[in-house]
């Protein structure tokens, strides 16, 4: 396949990629992961002509690779992948991210969610889960997760499909170790790094939970707090089963 100048210009435009549900995957490890998952690969762009095993190959110069790639240290391979929409319907426990702005936190939480069986992740006005930083922070797990970019109203309209019980992380909530967790499908809600969970989601909460901490520590990083909560829920549920 041949990559035109217009193609290169379009792929550099985040808005264009978002409108067409395209993401850039950079580096040999993540590209191999994408290929092994059977993803819909639109282009495989490389400056190394010895790389031949991937579909829709386009060979370009290192300069062109550096123009397309988002990382400062350019990779010798970039894939353009089509993201398929996923219907709202959690297959188990799920994670809801309410206005998280740090792509590193988003990636960390998706990685933890996948580790602890929270396979559906719902993002409300949050950082791009498919940015290079998010993908790397998730160790590529974002490419395997069931990602839903939704609004609060969509959560409300599909509440029964997402979970039977909504647990909100809130510093004023009951310590998680003192709560008898429900056996039903759970959605954990993690709020914005600076402002916490919005009033709308606080009103949705069946249970408000907190993490006990030593005095002198006001709060935990959103990625850390969410990971601890999901691990605790996974541990308790596994013990019961």
């Amino acid at each position: 396949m041949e990559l035109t100048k217009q193609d290169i210009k379009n792929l550099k435009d985040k808005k264009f990629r978002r409108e067409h549900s395209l993401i850039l995957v950079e580096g040999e490890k993540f590209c191999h992961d994408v290929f092994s998952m059977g993803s819909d690969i639109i282009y495989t762009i490389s400056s190394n002509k010895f790389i031949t095993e991937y579909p829709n190959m386009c060979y370009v110069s290192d300069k062109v690779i550096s123009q397309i790639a988002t990382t400062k240290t350019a990779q010798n391979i970039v894939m353009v992948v089509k993201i398929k929409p996923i219907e709202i319907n959690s297959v188990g426990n799920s994670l809801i991210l309410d206005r998280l702005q740090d792509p590193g936190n988003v990636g960390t939480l998706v990685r933890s969610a996948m580790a602890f069986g929270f396979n559906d992740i719902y993002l409300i006005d949050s950082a791009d889960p498919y940015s290079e930083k998010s993908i790397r922070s998730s160790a590529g797990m974002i490419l395997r997760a069931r990602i839903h970019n939704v609004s609060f109203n969509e959560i409300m309209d599909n509440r029964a499909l997402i979970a039977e019980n909504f647990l909100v992380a809130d510093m004023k909530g009951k310590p998680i170790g003192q709560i008898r967790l429900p056996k039903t499908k759970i959605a954990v809600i993690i709020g914005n790094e600076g402002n916490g969970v919005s009033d709308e989601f606080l009103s949705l909460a069946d249970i408000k939970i907190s993490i006990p901490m030593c005095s002198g520590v006001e709060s935990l990083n959103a990625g850390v707090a969410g990971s601890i909560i999901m691990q605790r829920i996974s541990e308790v549920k596994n013990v019961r089963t």
Side-chain angles (χ1 to χ4, degrees):
M1 297 181 67
E2 183 179 353
L3 200 66
T4 68
K5 289 183 178 179
Q6 187 60 45
D7 289 332
I8 295 169
K9 182 179 179 181
N10 288 339
L11 294 176
K12 289 168 62 178
D13 183 357
K14 184 183 295 185
K15 183 179 178 182
F16 174 87
R17 296 199 305 269
R18 185 174 300 157
E19 287 176 351
H20 292 81
S21 299
L22 300 174
I23 65 168
L24 295 179
V25 179
E26 303 174 31
E28 293 184 25
K29 178 187 181 301
F30 293 140
C31 287
H32 178 75
D33 288 346
V34 165
F35 176 66
S36 65
M37 287 187 286
S39 302
D40 187 2
I41 301 169
I42 307 301
Y43 289 119
T44 304
I45 306 166
S46 180
S47 58
N48 183 352
K49 292 191 176 183
F50 290 101
I51 296 177
T52 60
E53 64 268 36
Y54 300 119
N56 303 327
M57 293 294 308
C58 302
Y59 296 105
V60 298
S61 66
D62 288 331
K63 181 179 180 181
V64 172
I65 286 281
S66 66
Q67 290 175 341
I68 298 172
T70 60
T71 51
K72 291 183 179 179
T73 303
Q75 308 286 341
N76 65 7
I77 183 169
V78 175
M79 280 182 175
V80 182
V81 181
K82 182 78 172 179
I83 296 297
K84 298 177 182 178
I86 300 173
E87 291 185 1
I88 296 178
N89 187 7
S90 296
V91 296
N93 291 339
S94 57
L95 174 67
I96 297 174
L97 303 183
D98 178 22
R99 300 168 298 121
L100 264 69
Q101 298 306 301
D102 184 345
N105 278 336
V106 171
T108 295
L109 284 164
V110 170
R111 184 177 185 179
S112 295
M114 296 294 286
F116 301 125
F118 290 72
N119 296 325
D120 283 85
I121 295 95
Y122 297 86
L123 289 89
I124 294 87
D125 294 330
S126 293
D128 181 7
Y130 298 114
S131 69
E132 181 63 19
K133 187 174 181 181
S134 292
I135 292 174
R136 291 196 175 277
S137 296
S138 75
M141 287 296 102
I142 279 174
L143 303 173
R144 299 177 183 272
R146 288 167 52 86
I147 300 289
H148 311 265
N149 279 294
V150 295
S151 66
F152 175 77
N153 288 337
E154 287 177 291
I155 294 288
M156 292 300 294
D157 291 342
N158 296 278
R159 179 175 176 174
L161 294 174
I162 296 171
E164 283 90 349
N165 287 274
F166 289 77
L167 278 63
V168 171
D170 181 39
M171 288 190 294
K172 297 179 181 178
K174 193 171 182 178
I176 189 169
Q178 299 178 17
I179 292 173
R180 181 166 181 79
L181 293 168
K183 296 181 180 180
T184 52
K185 205 161 55 171
I186 289 172
V188 170
I189 304 173
I190 305 297
N192 175 269
E193 292 89 347
N195 301 312
V197 175
S198 64
D199 291 340
E200 290 88 352
F201 276 115
L202 284 173
S203 66
L204 178 63
D206 295 297
I207 306 172
K208 296 177 184 177
I209 52 178
S210 63
I211 301 171
M213 294 180 289
C214 295
S215 60
V217 181
E218 292 184 0
S219 63
L220 291 172
N221 169 278
V224 173
S227 298
I228 291 172
I229 290 168
M230 288 186 285
Q231 189 279 332
R232 173 62 177 162
I233 291 171
S234 173
E235 182 181 43
V236 171
K237 281 182 169 285
N238 286 337
V239 168
R240 287 181 181 170
T241 55

